[in-house]
Amino acid sequence: MLESLLALGGLVLLRDSVEWEGRSLLKALIKKSALWLVYHDLFRDPLNWSKTGEAFPGGPLEALRALCRRTDPGPVTIALDSLSWLLLHLPCTTLCQALHTLSHQDSCHGDSSPGEQVHVLGLLHEELHGPGPLGALSSLAQTEVTLSGAMGQTSAHILYRRPQQRPTHQTQWFSILPDFSLELQRGPPLESQPYPDPHAPSMDPTAHLTFNLRLSKKEREARDSLTLPFQFSSEKQQALLCPGLGQATSHIFYEPDVYDDLDQEDPDDDLDV
């Protein structure tokens, strides 16, 4: 699947990290796709201060715009090493607009045949950027390749986006040969997990607890016969209604005051109304 990354046009975004570099894969894809190569070194002298004529006077942005204005027919593969360097020196919106124009030249000219498509390979060091620029570049890419690995082998998680289709995912294991050829591999074997012995005695998870989760027969009977304080049992009801012998009953003694109104016929006499 890695070998067919350039079968369709558009932007192919290679996302690498410190642990898994992507420049070797970029060179392998360039070797596979390019019949002849035009190389612009915009890193050493981006503004052509040395007057060698190898770089564009307008810098990397002018170089991208010059590629957008190309008129010669035929397929072309544009490799950008790297998008991170451009993103650190150009505004994100400006770079996204240039990449969109660059990767959609075939649709602008009304020709979508495989022989006339434009392929843009962009290497992105995702650890150098925040989620905003990463999301903007990811939305422009028709294909994303995220490099990772396990057990010393490199894997590429490929995400394809096609118009009016669901995104598809695939993981490919590979290695880069010294001549920058791709060698596809199988994934590393899964680590064998020991199976539990059915005849082995099972361990009691409550064996080493500092409290007891089980009750004996006597403890269970004592718990069942215990009356909780919030329970209104029949014994409490009988004790409240029928006090037994030896239990003192309560009496209220009231001595009227001189100002108390004890006239039952005129209870409001003291109000002077």
Side-chain angles (χ1 to χ4, degrees):
M1 188 61 69
L2 280 173
E3 297 178 348
S4 60
L5 284 179
L6 302 179
L8 298 176
L11 174 62
V12 179
L13 193 62
L14 304 179
R15 303 175 61 163
D16 68 351
S17 60
V18 175
E19 293 83 6
W20 307 98
E21 61 89 17
R23 185 164 283 109
S24 299
L25 178 60
L26 179 66
K27 293 179 180 179
L29 294 176
I30 292 174
K31 177 184 177 181
K32 183 175 179 59
S33 61
L35 298 178
W36 58 279
L37 180 65
V38 177
Y39 176 73
H40 296 285
D41 186 359
L42 302 179
F43 181 77
R44 298 179 183 177
D45 190 12
L47 298 178
N48 197 25
W49 287 348
S50 58
K51 303 299 181 180
T52 58
E54 297 178 357
F56 285 83
L61 183 59
E62 182 61 30
L64 291 178
R65 290 172 177 171
L67 292 173
C68 295
R69 294 191 296 266
R70 73 180 188 95
T71 58
D72 55 315
V76 61
T77 299
I78 302 170
L80 303 176
D81 185 8
S82 67
L83 281 177
S84 293
W85 190 88
L86 294 173
L87 194 58
L88 293 175
H89 291 79
L90 297 175
C92 181
T93 54
T94 303
L95 179 60
C96 290
Q97 291 173 359
L99 290 176
H100 181 270
T101 304
L102 194 62
S103 59
H104 289 75
Q105 291 186 57
D106 50 347
S107 60
C108 294
H109 293 300
D111 190 356
S112 59
S113 61
E116 300 293 333
Q117 288 177 343
V118 177
H119 311 93
V120 181
L121 291 173
L123 180 61
L124 183 66
H125 312 304
E126 58 182 2
E127 294 172 334
L128 299 179
H129 312 287
L134 289 178
L137 292 176
S138 178
S139 63
L140 292 176
Q142 283 73 33
T143 306
E144 281 189 81
V145 182
T146 304
L147 299 180
S148 59
M151 301 178 64
Q153 296 188 22
T154 307
S155 67
H157 180 76
I158 308 172
L159 171 62
Y160 291 94
R161 298 187 183 95
R162 295 293 177 264
Q164 301 179 354
Q165 295 182 12
R166 287 187 175 183
T168 58
H169 302 261
Q170 188 172 4
T171 301
Q172 181 70 64
W173 298 84
F174 69 96
S175 62
I176 305 296
L177 300 179
D179 61 345
F180 294 105
S181 299
L182 278 173
E183 182 182 10
L184 302 182
Q185 298 176 344
R186 293 184 178 181
L190 297 177
E191 297 181 0
S192 59
Q193 300 291 337
Y195 290 94
D197 187 3
H199 302 288
S202 59
M203 297 180 60
D204 187 4
T206 63
H208 303 288
L209 296 178
T210 58
F211 52 91
N212 189 15
L213 293 178
R214 296 184 177 86
L215 298 177
S216 63
K217 184 178 180 180
K218 290 184 178 181
E219 292 173 343
R220 191 177 296 107
E221 292 176 354
R223 182 195 63 182
D224 296 339
S225 61
L226 180 65
T227 301
L228 300 177
F230 55 83
Q231 290 180 340
F232 194 74
S233 61
S234 58
E235 291 82 2
K236 288 186 178 181
Q237 184 178 6
Q238 292 297 328
L240 292 175
L241 295 179
C242 303
L245 298 176
Q247 295 183 356
T249 58
S250 299
H251 300 278
I252 299 177
F253 297 95
Y254 175 72
E255 183 176 353
D257 197 294
V258 293
Y259 297 102
D260 288 343
D261 186 9
L262 300 179
D263 189 358
Q264 299 297 332
E265 296 181 357
D266 190 8
D268 297 332
D269 184 36
D270 58 335
L271 298 179
D272 296 332
V273 292

